[in-house]
Amino acid sequence: MRRSVVAIIAVFTLVFAFSVPAFPSTDTSVNINTASVKELSSLQKIGPKYSQRIVEYRDTMGPFEAPEDIMKVKGISKKIFEMNKERIVVEDTTFEKKS
């Protein structure tokens, strides 16, 4: 009996250990001004449909000025923003020429 319990625990440990890398990373920041549809989809509750809307919005309206501006995209609620606000960044995508 004791060996079977140990074997079951070992199997579950191995399954969990090998499944963890399959989950999308939730510790990297996402620049919503440059991220691809795939990168945007790594945000919580943001699938390919919303990711495409984000890309289309920034292509039409220009770059986002603040992370909160993502809520201007249809379907991106305050709740979704709050879930992701630690990962969303807005970095300047233009380069000033030095004189």
Side-chain angles (χ1 to χ4, degrees), residues 26-93:
T26 57
D27 60 350
T28 58
S29 58
V30 176
N31 181 354
I32 58 174
N33 280 332
T34 60
S36 67
V37 169
K38 184 177 180 180
E39 292 167 327
L40 290 164
S41 293
S42 73
L43 296 169
Q44 292 182 37
K45 302 290 184 183
I46 306 280
K49 181 179 172 182
Y50 287 145
S51 296
Q52 187 61 44
R53 285 185 187 171
I54 294 167
V55 170
E56 289 171 359
Y57 182 91
R58 75 174 184 226
D59 288 347
T60 303
M61 304 302 290
F64 295 98
E65 294 180 13
E68 297 82 9
D69 289 345
I70 196 170
M71 292 185 287
K72 295 178 180 178
V73 177
K74 182 179 178 185
I76 308 295
S77 65
K78 183 174 183 174
K79 183 176 179 179
I80 292 174
F81 171 71
E82 290 293 326
M83 293 172 131
N84 294 290
K85 70 181 179 181
E86 299 300 320
R87 292 189 55 213
I88 296 173
V89 296
V90 176
E91 295 176 5
D92 190 9
T93 59

